[in-house]
Amino acid sequence: MIKDAHDKVIHKPRASALNLHAMFDGMRPVAVTPALSNEEAMDCVKFLGKCGEHMVGIVCFDGETAWERHTADDELLFVVDGAVELTCLLDGKSERMTAQTGDLIRVPAGIWHAQKTTGPVRIIFFTVAEGSERQVSKP
């Protein structure tokens, strides 16, 4: 699903600026659960472009995501507004951290992770399309 969206992004040959506040204003937070289908989960995502092999996009959601990992490269998440609890599985143990407005999170390649909010959150993400996996249950 991410790979399909990655292939649809149009490359612009010159520098451009995007008003992220305006882009977010047109988005309503989607109530997410781990059982949400890939297609339904994409309702809270807006793809902005590519940076090398990374997809750049914004997401606006409230709830708990499925587990995912990106085996090809690290993922960056910048919290524009709100707060998110990120759970990462490291050496068979769950490690949790909370990121708030203005925080930048780096999720290393290959690490299973899930996100949970207590209210709407707006995030900019940089992630690779290749090697992305998603599953409902904890790996």
Side-chain angles (χ1 to χ4, degrees):
M1 183 56 103
I2 291 176
K3 173 75 170 101
D4 295 339
H6 181 269
D7 292 340
K8 291 179 185 175
V9 173
I10 297 171
H11 297 278
K12 296 184 178 182
R14 59 182 72 120
S16 60
L18 298 173
N19 183 326
L20 291 176
H21 291 292
M23 305 224 32
F24 273 121
D25 285 345
M27 296 178 74
R28 294 187 181 158
V30 173
V32 298
T33 68
L36 207 63
S37 72
N38 283 337
E39 291 76 23
E40 292 169 318
M42 296 308 281
D43 287 343
C44 66
V45 176
K46 196 178 281 187
F47 291 98
L48 305 178
K50 288 175 59 174
C51 184
E53 291 303 310
H54 288 75
M55 287 295 305
V56 180
I58 56 178
V59 60
C60 184
F61 72 94
D62 186 9
E64 185 175 354
T65 68
W67 289 90
E68 65 177 19
R69 71 176 172 176
H70 314 283
T71 57
D73 206 348
D74 297 350
E75 178 178 45
L76 292 177
L77 305 168
F78 177 74
V79 182
V80 175
D81 188 40
V84 62
E85 179 182 84
L86 180 77
T87 302
C88 294
L89 296 183
L90 301 168
D91 299 323
K93 296 181 182 179
S94 294
E95 290 191 12
R96 290 181 177 80
M97 63 169 289
T98 300
Q100 300 178 37
T101 301
D103 288 343
L104 179 67
I105 305 165
R106 182 184 68 86
V107 181
I111 300 294
W112 283 101
H113 58 284
Q115 302 170 54
K116 185 176 182 179
T117 69
T118 56
V121 66
R122 295 174 172 190
I123 294 174
I124 300 171
F125 64 87
F126 300 82
T127 191
V128 290
E130 295 291 334
S132 293
E133 300 174 55
R134 182 178 184 273
Q135 67 183 53
V136 173
S137 59
K138 187 176 179 178

